[in-house]
Amino acid sequence: MTRHKLDAYYTPTWAVDVLRQDLVLHLKGMSVFEPCVGEGAISRGLVDAAILTAVLTNDIDPNIAADYHFDAAKTWPQLRGGNCAWVVTNPPFKYAKPILDQARAYATYGVAFLLRLSWLEPTFERNRHPEAPDRIIVLPRISFTGDG
């Protein structure tokens, strides 16, 4: 299977709905940064739920509508308004670790990532920072390719 350009696999609405239901109490009245906005399903879902004070978006693809266009796997620039309370995103799997490192350094309150459960399996890279998540929401595996 050929990979999508820039590893762009967009989040289905049903997964955003589950994420939003779990995060609604944690995010109410806070600002959020979505570093891998893609089609905007997560940020739009959070804004539509009217639980955020502000949302800033980024995507590496300059053709995507976003507030910023930088590589989220590298050091993040200073964003207008400073750091956000939360970083919430569905990162490209192969870049999740460096994006998570940046998100942890940037978020003043919390980080929520949509990742396959296999991301918790030990690897050399992830064993150097073996922090377990505070909570895990288990969803059916998402078919990002549409082939089930």
Side-chain angles (χ1 to χ4, degrees), residues 55-125:
V55 62
L56 290 175
T57 58
N58 174 69
D59 201 280
I60 192 171
D61 185 346
N63 297 314
I64 296 287
D67 298 305
Y68 298 93
H69 293 97
F70 61 83
D71 185 345
K74 297 181 179 171
T75 302
W76 294 0
Q78 180 65 38
L79 305 181
R80 73 172 175 268
N83 292 12
C84 288
W86 280 84
V87 174
V88 181
T89 198
N90 175 9
F93 188 83
K94 70 181 185 178
Y95 300 112
K97 175 66 170 109
I99 294 171
L100 178 62
D101 290 342
Q102 292 298 317
R104 284 181 170 159
Y106 180 80
T108 59
Y109 192 83
V111 174
F113 274 34
L114 181 62
L115 291 167
R116 294 190 311 246
L117 195 56
S118 63
W119 199 83
L120 293 174
E121 295 174 359
T123 65
F124 174 74
E125 182 182 60

